[in-house]
Amino acid sequence: SWDGEQLMFEMPGQPATELLPSSEKEFFFRVAPTTVEFLNGEGSTRYLVLHSESGETRAKRVNGDQQ
């Protein structure tokens, strides 16, 4: 989610953490060796993939908010 000018990422049970851009579609965390990649389909973001030391986790977009 956006918090003003910052893109924030929040996992259940964890505090929100700022995502920083490494490319147009890939972001990283300062606090962990983990990246988030946003994947497009049908003209907008449809999935994100969390790349971490333990593997990859894919999540499908569940709302219609295009921000």
Side-chain angles (χ1 to χ4, degrees):
S1 67
W2 287 99
D3 181 14
E5 296 283 321
Q6 298 176 318
L7 180 58
M8 304 300 288
F9 187 86
E10 188 173 357
M11 295 281 288
Q14 301 292 321
T17 304
E18 182 180 12
L19 282 174
L20 301 163
S22 56
S23 73
E24 186 176 307
K25 296 180 182 181
E26 193 165 356
F27 294 78
F28 68 96
F29 299 94
R30 284 189 184 139
V31 297
T34 302
T35 61
V36 175
E37 180 181 11
F38 293 94
L39 303 175
N40 292 339
E42 302 175 21
S44 65
T45 301
R46 296 291 179 204
Y47 297 92
L48 71 78
V49 180
L50 182 72
H51 302 276
S52 68
E53 292 176 334
S54 60
E56 293 183 359
T57 302
R58 180 176 255 200
K60 185 176 180 179
R61 185 182 196 139
V62 295
N63 68 11
D65 186 4
Q66 299 296 314
Q67 294 182 4

